[in-house]
Amino acid sequence: GFNIYYTGEQLNQDDFLIFLKLIQLSRLKVEQNIYIFKPLEIKPTLLLREVEKKNRTEDICRLKKTIERLNKAKVNIILENGTAIYDGNLVSEYDYEKYVDYRITLNPKLINMLKSKVTRIECNTLLKAKNNLISWLFSYYTSHVNNGMFKTNVETIRKLCGSHDQSLKSFKQKLIKALVELEDITKWQCKIVNNLVSIINLEIYSPNYDKVEFAEWLANWEAKLKIAEVELLADPEYIPY
């Protein structure tokens, strides 16, 4: 296992999306042995288009602030034995010329560590999220659901996602709507029962992955079978073989 330590401003979902897109663009160049020592050069309007954002003046200014936050954000990844496998910023260096080009440098080591097969987060699916809560839910569950199933308390989600909603009831209503939208952009089954959020990835889930869940399913099935058997035996028209 390992521990991750973060220092810097609190990042938002737009920051995360831009960061993922920078990794995606840079990793392609690393694999082609082009982006080894050279920065990624991209126009701010093109980068905004890559994440399906508008390219108005205020959007370009917002993008600049995102890059600045990522540049100040520092991450330490340390193994349980104390070995540091990464110690650096999310964006190592950047130069900015308004309306012309960004020159952004990411650490190749970080790029290679954060491959899609490691985080399991699909940038194209993330782009379909209509608001920050849906985006956060998709990223959180994609990177946590190992066996196709995950359960989380509503209050835990409210704290982890950084919601400023003080009312749990109000947040729960927003969460219900977000889960409906989440089902639309994924092949997931989402539901809330007794303030417990249950997410099932139908592409990979099998009851055998979760022994407790499977035991509950089997017990319910056997109970229903016994009830059916009793009802059948009580039927006056039933003739056993």
Side-chain angles (χ1 to χ4, degrees), residues 1-233:
F2 56 86
N3 295 310
I4 300 176
Y5 301 93
Y6 172 80
T7 306
E9 292 184 51
Q10 181 174 349
L11 303 179
N12 56 44
Q13 290 303 307
D14 286 337
D15 298 337
F16 178 60
L17 185 57
I18 291 293
F19 180 57
L20 278 185
K21 182 54 69 173
L22 289 174
I23 290 176
Q24 188 182 65
L25 295 172
S26 301
R27 190 173 65 241
L28 290 173
K29 291 184 179 265
V30 166
E31 292 171 353
Q32 296 167 13
N33 293 321
I34 296 175
Y35 184 78
I36 299 299
F37 301 107
K38 295 181 180 180
L40 171 69
E41 296 186 2
I42 187 169
K43 295 184 183 298
T45 51
L46 178 58
L47 183 52
L48 286 168
R49 195 181 310 140
E50 285 281 346
V51 293
E52 299 184 5
K53 301 289 185 182
K54 296 179 180 179
N55 55 15
R56 301 166 299 186
T57 301
E58 57 264 37
D59 297 306
I60 294 175
C61 291
R62 194 176 297 115
L63 175 62
K64 182 176 182 290
K65 291 181 180 178
T66 285
I67 301 299
E68 289 174 351
R69 283 194 292 271
L70 292 173
N71 176 243
K72 295 175 183 177
K74 186 175 181 180
V75 174
N76 296 76
I77 305 177
I78 302 176
L79 298 177
E80 287 183 345
N81 62 10
T83 303
I85 59 175
Y86 184 77
D87 183 5
N89 300 77
L90 296 179
V91 168
S92 298
E93 297 177 6
Y94 77 98
D95 293 318
Y96 172 73
E97 294 181 23
K98 192 174 183 180
Y99 300 115
V100 186
D101 280 325
Y102 275 118
R103 290 170 57 84
I104 301 172
T105 303
L106 299 183
N107 190 315
K109 185 175 182 180
L110 179 64
I111 298 168
N112 288 321
M113 287 172 59
L114 296 178
K115 296 177 180 178
S116 58
K117 67 180 181 180
V118 176
T119 62
R120 298 196 293 271
I121 298 174
E122 278 292 336
C123 197
N124 292 335
T125 305
L126 191 61
L127 287 170
K128 298 176 184 178
K130 295 180 180 179
N131 60 49
N132 287 339
L133 181 55
I134 301 171
S135 175
W136 185 90
L137 288 168
F138 175 73
S139 302
Y140 178 73
Y141 284 110
T142 299
S143 57
H144 283 73
V145 182
N146 292 320
N147 62 1
M149 174 183 287
F150 202 76
K151 293 184 178 181
T152 323
N153 190 278
V154 172
E155 175 64 16
T156 301
I157 293 177
R158 183 172 67 137
K159 290 179 180 179
L160 290 177
C161 76
S163 172
H164 298 294
D165 201 328
Q166 298 300 314
S167 167
L168 183 63
K169 181 179 179 181
S170 174
F171 175 75
K172 185 176 178 180
Q173 291 174 343
K174 295 174 183 176
L175 181 59
I176 291 172
K177 293 180 180 178
L179 291 173
V180 172
E181 296 283 350
L182 190 59
E183 283 189 327
D184 290 340
I185 66 173
T186 62
K187 293 184 178 180
W188 296 359
Q189 184 182 84
C190 312
K191 62 181 179 179
I192 299 180
V193 179
N194 297 326
N195 284 331
L196 192 66
V197 179
S198 175
I199 303 289
I200 298 178
N201 185 336
L202 298 176
E203 290 185 303
I204 62 175
Y205 175 70
S206 168
N208 295 310
Y209 281 123
D210 190 310
K211 293 182 180 179
V212 174
E213 189 74 18
F214 180 70
E216 292 177 355
W217 173 84
L218 184 61
N220 289 333
W221 181 82
E222 289 178 340
K224 290 179 181 179
L225 189 64
K226 288 180 180 179
I227 292 174
E229 185 178 0
V230 170
E231 291 177 346
L232 185 64
L233 292 174

